[in-house]
């Protein structure tokens, strides 16, 4: 119990905010009942010091430590931006890749007249199976998109660039292992699709370059061989896909050795052009 | 405590430490040295000191450094009388009262002065004051009690001179 004989210790605790809760109410009542103690308490309150804010430690910088940020933390913002830009660029590139296939053209300028009648899907298999040169392992899938015949163009001196005779599509697929320059086998799968009179599409894929692109012909190509020699001219109008060109060139090498079902050379000469530049010219013996 | 937290401590507590030390020893350069030295120790022990304990740690170190300094130079002189400038004033302003009080503070024994400064400036409770000063809570209480009574006596004395 707080009395006039012991109040001072309680009063100081009360001043310091350290008086236990059970005595706070008692102290407040005690102060109300004792005005002189109340006055003493007010004087004690005046002894509480107020910090002098004008006293400051000026040179704090001398004690600060440089914060070491890891390379990742320092650059993560830039990495994120770079990744975003790279993503956009990649998307544009891939979009252009799809578009650029239109610039690669496969032109049949001449096809052997004998093929005109019997160039069916089964014929094509027979041709592939009778490869005569080069260590070529061949699988052949011929998937007619529609049940129609392979387009065969009668020999003509005027040699229009493309004259598919059929108005429907056909898809041929070659899978072959062809020796590369380093004698490494390269598997090439090509698909020639004749969609209409005006359009030829080649899909070439190799296990080395993993390519599968439609190739549409559009350009006019002059015959590069005599009228008696069937000729396939692959004209590449872009330099964006050199590996694809390589695959096509391999395909051309392979195809020149294809014989027809009568075990005769198909007499297909391939010329692969890159713009006006001749990349490969495979002449049939 | 990491580097960022250490720097935060510098920004938050350097002024408080300096104010506390300077009010005790009245020596600007020595006060700075003590504060800087305190933060050097904090930096060295940063891996052992949690952020929420940093302030107490800093005041404890500063207090000990300051005591060493006081013992070394005996710069603090006890003042038994109030400064003459205060006497004879017919009107005491708030600024005067503040000065009188701070001058009165210098008349207190070191430990009382330090406890009053820590209590009033930083709001530490008895237990925290005991931790910082190395006293027990009973000693803290009695020293604070004596300090308050002495300061009250001086204030009453000033008022009686007006």
């Amino acid at each position: 119990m707080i009395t006039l004989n012991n109040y001072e210790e309680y009063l100081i605790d009360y001043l310091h905010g350290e008086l236990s809760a059970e005595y706070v109410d008692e102290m407040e009542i005690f102060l109300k009942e004792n005005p002189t103690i109340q006055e003493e308490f007010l004087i004690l309150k005046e002894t509480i010091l107020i910090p002098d804010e004008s006293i400051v430690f000026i040179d704090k910088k001398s004690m600060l430590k440089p914060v070491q940020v890891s390379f990742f933390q320092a650059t993560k913002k830039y990495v994120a931006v770079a990744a975003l830009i790279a993503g956009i660029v990649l998307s544009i590139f891939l979009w252009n890749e799809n578009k650029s296939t239109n610039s690669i053209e496969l032109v049949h300028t001449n096809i052997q007249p004998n093929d005109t009648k019997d160039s069916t899907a089964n014929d094509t298999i027979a041709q592939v199976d009778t490869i005569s040169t080069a260590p070529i392992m061949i699988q052949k899938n011929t998937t007619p998109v529609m049940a129609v015949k392979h387009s065969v163009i009668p020999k003509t001196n005027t040699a229009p660039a493309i004259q598919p005779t059929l108005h429907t599509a056909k898809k041929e697929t070659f899978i072959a292992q062809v020796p590369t320059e380093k004698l490494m086998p390269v598997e090439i799968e090509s698909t020639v699709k004749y969609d209409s009179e005006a359009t030829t599409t080649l899909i070439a894929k190799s296990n080395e370059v993993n390519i599968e692109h439609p190739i549409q012909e559009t350009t006019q190509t002059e015959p590069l061989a005599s009228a008696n020699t069937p000729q396939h001219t692959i004209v590449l109008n872009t330099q964006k896909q050199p590996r694809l060109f390589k695959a096509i060139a391999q395909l051309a090498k392979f195809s020149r050795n294809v014989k027809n079902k009568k075990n005769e050379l198909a007499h297909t000469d391939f010329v692969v052009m890159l713009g006006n530049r001749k990349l490969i010219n495979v002449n049939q013996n | 405590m990491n580097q960022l937290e250490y720097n935060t401590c510098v920004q938050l507590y350097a002024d408080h430490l300096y104010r506390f030390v300077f009010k005790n020893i009245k020596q600007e350069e020595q006060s700075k040295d003590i504060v800087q030295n305190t933060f050097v120790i904090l930096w060295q022990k940063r891996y052992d000191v949690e952020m929420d304990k940093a302030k107490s740690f800093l005041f404890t170190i500063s207090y000990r450094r300051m005591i060493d300094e006081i013992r070394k130079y005996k710069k603090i002189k006890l003042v038994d009388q109030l400064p003459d400038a205060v006497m004879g004033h017919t009107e005491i302003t708030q600024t005067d009262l503040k000065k009188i009080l701070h001058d009165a503070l210098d008349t207190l024994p070191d430990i009382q002065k330090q406890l009053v400064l820590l209590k009033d400036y930083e709001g530490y409770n008895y237990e925290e004051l005991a931790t910082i000063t190395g006293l027990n809570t009973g000693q803290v209480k009695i020293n604070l009690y004596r300090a308050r009574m002495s300061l009250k006596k001086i204030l009453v004395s000033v008022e009686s001179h007006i």
Side-chain angles (χ1 to χ4, degrees), chain A residues 159-186:
Chain A
I162 293 294
Q163 288 186 352
T165 57
L166 300 176
H167 297 276
T168 51
K170 179 178 175 61
K171 184 177 179 183
E172 299 174 2
T173 302
F174 298 84
I175 300 175
Q177 285 187 310
V178 182
T180 64
E181 294 173 358
K182 296 181 180 178
L183 299 178
M184 294 291 290
V186 175

Side-chain angles (χ1 to χ4, degrees), chain A residues 8-9 12-13 15-16 18 40 43-44 46-60 62-68, chain B residues 3-4 6-7 10-11 15 18-19 22-23 32 35-36 39 43 101 105 116-117 119-121 125-126 141 144-145 148 151-152 155:
Chain A
E8 287 182 323
E9 186 180 347
I12 297 300
D13 286 349
L15 176 72
H16 290 151
E18 301 265 358
E40 184 181 350
I43 296 173
L44 281 170
E46 289 182 358
T47 68
I48 293 176
L49 301 171
I50 298 169
D52 187 349
E53 302 285 349
S54 66
I55 301 173
V56 293
F57 190 93
I58 297 171
D59 193 18
K60 292 190 191 72
S62 66
M63 299 187 296
L64 293 173
K65 302 293 181 185
V67 177
Q68 295 173 352
Chain B
Q3 273 178 296
L4 275 176
Y6 166 84
N7 285 342
V10 172
Q11 299 289 2
D15 288 344
Y18 179 71
R19 199 173 293 141
F22 180 75
K23 290 298 289 183
K32 280 183 181 177
V35 171
Q36 285 175 328
F39 277 102
W43 176 251
L101 192 59
L105 189 68
V116 168
L117 285 170
K119 180 68 183 171
D120 292 354
Y121 278 18
N125 61 34
Y126 292 159
K141 280 180 70 173
L144 274 175
Y145 170 82
R148 293 296 177 199
L151 293 173
K152 186 190 79 170
L155 287 181

